[in-house]
Amino acid sequence: PGLPAGLHHLLLQVLDDTGKPGLLDHYTAFEITRLQAPESIIPIPEGAVGIRSEELPIDPSMDFARYSPKVQEMLYNHQHPPQTSCRSMPFLIWEPWGIVGFGAQLLGLRVAMSLGLQTQRVVVGNPDWENNLVNSELKWRFNLTESNQGSPWGELGSLQELSWCASSSNVLESVRALPGVDMNDISISNVRVSGDLWGVENRERIFEMPEVAMKLLPEPPNLFWWWTETTHYLHRPKPKLGSFIEAQKKLMGWEHPIIGIHMRLGVDKNREAQRFPTKYYIHEARRIRKLFGGVGTIFVCSDRKSAVTKMISEYGKEFRIITQPKVEGALPMEYVHTDLALLGECDYLIFTFSSNFGMAAFYLNSFLHGHRPTYVSMDDLFEGFRYYGHQMTLTFNHQNGVSELGVRVCASQLTAGNQTLLLIDDKRDSAVEICANLLGEEYCKSPRTLKDQETGTILWDSDSCTVAEDWDACTERLHDTYRSIVAQADKVREKGDCEEECDDKSCSSLSEGNRRVLGFGFRIPNDEL
């Protein structure tokens, strides 16, 4: 500690009685490099929620993998209580939102697992909903006329069940998580959390970590650690899928070291992120090869088959590029699960953080590399949470080798004097039109709540009137209060801390300069980044 940056020479000698060296004569040279924290390179916006480097007390020598067995055991035990008690267990029945890909399903279930642990509820799915969702998504994505594969965690799925109590849950008797429903009330046997209800009613809890999980580590972990653990639990192959994965590896000639590349190029993603051409991925593969040496194999997968074909044809002489071969009788989801599992096994990973599937691969890769993966993310921004009032960023802390997820609040911000107020909106049909000159027509509808950003205090709540009161008089007073608050506002930030703006073609912030995130799970052999 305290030595300046640069090359240092150390000579150790042990002298004999005459003062001559002889017992030990050892020379070594070492280099000290000072790396800036990521926040000093790209500052985190004021008011952003998350963990900054200077707030991270995790010892860089901590072995995260040592605690994983305890975490996995805790998750399994929560989801698998004694079978005799299944009928009396409270359940959280999870329903995905619309037709989404497998990466988004994993994202939703990560949140569901957190909610389930916080409310002491076993997390299960709605089988009819999931079966219809998966079959519809597969027919659309793979251009199939028919599909009956159903839920990945169901009887016909390739992954181990979420819980052996699933058949004891009751969708027909479930209560939806509407305002006023206390999910901690275990007298309500089945609570159903679905679609936009998750985004609206539980948006404040999306990024929470259950206390029972945090107690397993000697120091408070970050969100990246928790989502790494839950993703591994959610993606446990059944024996049949495990055999398929090994067979595919044999057909491809799977030999380490391998760079894994996932290219998310579907047209459905262009509203959230910029899509990168194949040459950009190859550029990063060259960077990894230069840094670590001896890496000549790339495993590549994508939602656009032509991009994989192009990469192999244009760069197949420079790298040995492998991808899954087609096997007679294999189901589409078996290829999807295998891509994800193999990306997790790769020694190095190149992906886009803005892709839910890429994120899932990232977490699986992190789990298999002691929570310190070596990777390049082509972007640092995940826009998908914008619809739920948040935005997520990825950073890598060079000082302790820990990857971190930062969360920004996307709620509109009103500045009134020294106070910053957050408009938490839910686009309710029942919202009343209350306009203010500063806000314009965009903010004529009253929000769900108005919150003080610094203290978190709710200053105004659209649901504060009760049936017991004079409803009309109460709502009029409520509207008058809101009018008086917004009338004092002198400044507005429409997207809060989320300043990146995307349209149908691209994201303006990304076009100004694509920001990579490089994470190294072990010491870099040289300084050439």
Side-chain angles (χ1 to χ4, degrees), residues 183 239 516:
M183 287 195 287
R516 304 283 191 270

Side-chain angles (χ1 to χ4, degrees), residues 391-410:
Q391 189 181 72
M392 180 173 282
T393 58
L394 170 67
T395 61
F396 174 74
N397 189 321
H398 298 274
Q399 295 175 334
N400 56 19
V402 175
S403 297
E404 305 171 13
L405 302 181
V407 183
R408 302 174 185 172
V409 178
C410 294

Side-chain angles (χ1 to χ4, degrees), residues 176-245:
R176 296 187 72 175
L178 294 169
V181 173
D182 182 5
M183 287 195 287
N184 292 291
D185 183 359
I186 59 173
S187 66
I188 306 174
S189 299
N190 296 268
V191 171
R192 196 165 83 257
V193 181
S194 61
D196 61 347
L197 287 178
W198 162 57
V200 174
E201 303 305 332
N202 296 290
R203 69 170 64 189
E204 304 299 331
R205 307 179 69 176
I206 291 175
F207 306 105
E208 289 183 5
M209 290 182 287
E211 188 176 350
V212 65
M214 291 192 289
K215 285 182 177 179
L216 296 175
L217 265 70
E219 299 286 350
N222 65 22
L223 191 62
F224 175 79
W225 168 85
W226 172 237
W227 280 8
T228 290
E229 293 288 343
T230 49
T231 303
H232 175 78
Y233 176 80
L234 293 169
H235 199 262
R236 294 167 298 134
K238 289 179 179 177
K240 180 185 175 184
L241 175 60
S243 298
F244 181 77
I245 293 171

Side-chain angles (χ1 to χ4, degrees), residues 455-468:
T455 65
T457 305
I458 294 179
L459 305 176
W460 189 87
D461 188 339
S462 61
D463 294 319
S464 58
C465 293
T466 64
V467 178

Side-chain angles (χ1 to χ4, degrees), residues 274 499-501 506-515:
Q274 182 167 331
E499 297 179 352
E500 285 76 10
E501 295 294 336
S506 65
C507 299
S508 60
S509 62
L510 296 180
S511 64
E512 293 170 2
N514 300 314
R515 298 176 299 200

